[in-house]
Amino acid sequence: MDGVPRVPEQRGPEDSATLRFGVLGPVRAWRGEELLVTGSPQQRALLAALLMREGRTATASELIDALWGDDPPPRALAAVRTYASRLRKVLSPGVLLSESGGYAVRLGEPRSLDLAAAQELAAEAEKAKSSGDLCRARHVLNEALALWDGEPLAGVPGPYAEAQRARLEEWRLQLLESRLDMDLEQGCHAEAVSELTALTAAHPLRERLRELLMLALYRSGRQAEALAVYADTRRLLADELGVDPRPGLKELQQRILQADPTLAEPSAPAPEPSATPVRPAQLPATVPDFTGRAAFVAELSEVLASAEGRVMAVSALAGIGGVGKTTLAVHVAHQARSAFPDGQLYVDLQGAGPRAAEPETVLGSFLRALGTADSAIPDSLEERSALYRSVLDGRRVLVLLDNARDAAQVRPLLPGTEGCAALVTSRVRMVDLAGAHLVDLDVMSPDEALSLFTKIVGEERVASEREAALDVVAACGFLPLAIRIAASRLAARRTWTVSVLAAKLADERRRLDELQAGDLAVKATFELGYGQLEPAQARAFRLLGLADGPDISLAAAAAVLDLPLEDTEDLLESLVDTSLLESAAPGRYRYHDLVRLYARACAERDEHPPSERDAAMSRLLDFYLATAAEVYAIERPGDRLVDHLEKTRTAGLVFPDRRAAQDWLYSEAVSLLACVRQSSDGARLRRAVDLLWAAVDLAESGANFKEYEAAATALRDAARAASDGRSEGRANLVLANARHWSGYFDQADQEAREALRLSEAAGDPLPCCWAANILGAFAFYQSRYRDAEDYLERAIKDFRACGDLPGTATALCNLSRLHLATDRADSAISLARQGTEMYEELGHTLKAANGHYALGLALSKNGQQSDASDRLMQALQVFRASRQRLWEGMTLFRLAEVDLLAQRPAQAAANAEMALAMLRGIGGEWRRGNVLTVLGKALNRLGQSGRAHVCWREALEIYEGLDSPEAAEVQALLAPAAAA
């Protein structure tokens, strides 16, 4: 690697301030950015010998021994003097010194030598590890390891350099082992497997690496492979050295056989690599006019304080809606922040709504907030909960679980570790939450209620009408939310007196009496606030509550209300001021779940004409469809789909670049899919189907494929019930795509056949093109090559007839795959090149990556492994930047295949392991079987036959379960072992 070595910049003496040296790779010297010419190999050997002494003097005889050992040339001393003289001219004055019959290099700062910097970082990492800060230790060790730039002292001759090379390489491996050990302690098992697989291949006799690999595999749920590593190791040591594995390896094998529970308990998971550990700060803002509740604040603060350094505290606040549970919990949490320096987590569990938050979804969000990579987050609730507790171990974090449905929803979200605490709010009293400190929150006392009212309205207005003010807070039932709404209305109307407000509330006394009972009390309180809204505010409140998504963006809200963005923001902010709406984040708004239900009831009751409700939801759907079409057009320039979508009356957003378009699609995914599900009948059905088609990246990337597939199924069924053949055909096509990417090929094939039949009958040409293309792909997967060619040739013809160049390119690339499978390598390369060139001419970055992928496969089959690897690497970079997790995993798998053909089994195994980690939970079992097959081949070539057979047996089980033809190949791979 050219350039300046990665060492921290330090100031030194003036004459050497800009000099840096490297020995952890080729021996080099830099002055600033300039790479200095350090001369012949012997001259660099002299410089290396001096640098390795880190400022100490080396005698002439020591230098002669270092350069030539027992066989120096006749004029060795003269040669040393010559080399020193030449180096002195290259380096700054005063750097290479002659003293005491020898020479020394004086460094301006120790860290100006990469070796010294690495030693300092390693010591810092050890100190952090000793103090229990594994995240910091791991980060610093990575910094130290990054200083290596290939083989130490590369190209330097002499016995001294040879000995130092061996020493430095051994030290590097020790550092690697230490860092990998911390990786496992921090929960990064899946990531570690890939690296350890490559390292054990490079250093097959190093037992510590084998031990770490066994542990990583076991913690990744791959017990059979972990045991196979031991068997492979034992056989290798016996064959090569005639010895048995060391006791530690044998002990680990026994613990794995016994499923020792302590093996599955890492200390704390690692965040994504960064300069400092991830510290979430998710608490909502506390209200500035928080009033009263002194006894509750003191009680809860005491419970939270008791968590510090001892046991977890769980405080469950129960009470009716509007009583101030969240306000109190947030206030107490802010006061306690200093006791939880590692951060605060917050979630609204939406327990009172029709779809309470799922614990596994919440855990995924929490783990990401704590720095856990997406690829390291397991799928099941139990695994996520266990990893969550491991992440929090050693940290002091406060978790605020707001609006819980019941104890069952809460239990998986509790930290369960010393030093952490949880605050829970709920409408129900959680007597079945073991160990919880229960707090039943009632309405405010009259004095507290009056104090809150006065803080909002102002002392002057209340002082002269104290009795009227008491009437107001009494009419509000002393509920904090009702008081806040009433006081805010009065504060915004300077011409009103407190008596006027009291009189207005008195008119609704019979409804406010209901505040004494359950949810009706909350409704009465909301009714008070709603009744005082201006007409435009009331309309916004009603209509925005119709949307099902967890929140809504400002732009989407503007579409619902059919208002300019600025006017919409003013309305929404005014609703936030009345506490009828919450500001989830800048530019995003949400309802408390009970308020949303009330808003919908108001819409049913008060929206005139009633058709305006449908019109509002129609505008929201139009907004999403128009914007998704814009995203699709940016991602796929020249694609004709946007011309075949239903027309919209509402405009969508316009994006400055591809990255902004992607950000919008993925950030709006949940709300967009919720809108699709709400639009599965009536006049909105066709647009809902088209929205799902335009948002295909949500399925193809693997990011939201489960939710996407569920929405597609609902639309297909709705279209069938409505006898809408056009919509049903498109919905079938969308569903075929979704099931394709989730690995259900037989079902996808049936859906695609229906899509083709229905779209032909409806005269809908573009779905016919895509259905034929998909059917060709499925026939190829099922080895029905004649059918596949017929379908793909038809798809190419039909795409060209539609003028859809990207679609044509896609079908050409798929046809290339078919030609490969039928031994037509030259035409396969030609077809893939045609497709790739068409993509590139259109500026189609993402799909061009698919072209490079197809071309890489064709080149590989034709024996051009270097070119194939280059093409696949190009594709990988684009898929990674585009957040196409499924395609990223598949490209890693293909790179592993290329590595195998290029006789690079260690690299093949590493890439296959990364593919397994990337494809976890997406892509389906068939693709997993393919990766396991290749991984087994790579491991077998590395001499790890036991582990290879475990991979093949798992692949065979997958293939046989799918009745897949690939089972025969795997059976053949396993046959020699069975015969033996």
Side-chain angles (χ1 to χ4, degrees), residues 865 895-909 937-938 941-942:
Q865 306 310 329
L895 281 167
E897 290 185 316
V898 171
D899 290 329
L900 269 183
L901 292 170
Q903 306 302 316
R904 297 188 295 264
Q907 186 60 47
K937 291 178 180 178
R941 291 193 192 176
L942 292 169

Side-chain angles (χ1 to χ4, degrees), residues 640-723:
R640 292 294 308 281
L641 172 62
V642 293
D643 301 324
H644 289 257
L645 298 174
E646 287 287 300
K647 302 303 178 186
T648 62
R649 296 182 179 180
T650 302
L653 297 176
V654 177
F655 301 102
D657 52 41
R658 181 167 169 260
R659 170 59 64 178
Q662 284 182 346
D663 288 343
W664 180 87
L665 181 64
Y666 289 106
S667 65
E668 290 288 339
V670 178
S671 296
L672 182 151
L673 292 173
C675 180
V676 167
R677 288 192 298 269
Q678 275 189 286
S679 306
S680 59
D681 57 8
R684 301 199 300 272
L685 174 60
R686 289 195 169 191
R687 282 173 291 156
V689 173
D690 283 0
L691 171 56
L692 211 52
W693 193 0
V696 66
D697 280 347
L698 296 179
E700 188 167 342
S701 68
N704 300 86
F705 80 88
K706 289 182 179 178
E707 299 88 343
Y708 187 97
E709 187 175 358
T713 302
L715 291 183
R716 188 272 314 274
D717 294 345
R720 185 173 296 165
S723 300

Side-chain angles (χ1 to χ4, degrees), residues 184-200:
L184 300 188
E185 285 302 300
Q186 294 173 300
C188 299
H189 324 310
E191 295 88 340
V193 169
S194 176
E195 187 174 2
L196 281 164
T197 296
L199 284 169
T200 52

Side-chain angles (χ1 to χ4, degrees), residues 295-370:
F296 288 112
V297 171
E299 179 181 355
L300 291 168
S301 298
E302 182 180 353
V303 173
L304 291 181
S306 72
E308 186 176 349
R310 294 201 294 274
V311 297
M312 181 193 70
V314 179
S315 299
L317 282 69
I320 63 172
V323 80
K325 300 182 298 295
T326 298
T327 301
L328 174 60
V330 169
H331 180 76
V332 170
H334 274 282
Q335 284 200 332
R337 285 183 63 175
S338 61
F340 301 94
D342 296 317
Q344 305 84 39
L345 296 169
Y346 171 84
V347 65
D348 181 358
L349 294 172
Q350 304 177 48
R355 284 191 292 271
E358 294 295 335
E360 53 261 51
T361 302
V362 176
L363 285 168
S365 175
F366 278 1
L367 286 167
R368 292 184 191 96
L370 290 163

Side-chain angles (χ1 to χ4, degrees), residues 425-457:
T425 74
S426 176
R427 288 188 299 159
V428 299
R429 196 169 191 267
M430 295 190 180
V431 293
D432 54 343
L433 190 60
H437 179 88
L438 300 177
V439 175
D440 292 321
L441 197 60
D442 202 351
V443 296
M444 284 182 150
S445 69
D447 288 344
E448 288 177 333
L450 183 60
S451 177
L452 174 60
F453 182 82
T454 303
K455 280 188 176 181
I456 298 172
V457 174

Side-chain angles (χ1 to χ4, degrees), residues 61-78:
S61 61
E62 287 175 333
L63 292 173
I64 290 171
D65 286 342
L67 270 63
W68 294 286
D70 295 333
D71 190 24
R75 296 180 55 80
L77 180 59

Side-chain angles (χ1 to χ4, degrees), residues 16-39:
S16 60
T18 60
L19 276 182
R20 295 188 184 89
F21 298 94
V23 294
L24 299 178
V27 176
R28 291 170 292 186
W30 290 265
R31 180 180 291 108
E33 300 293 326
E34 178 191 2
L35 178 62
L36 304 179
V37 179
T38 52

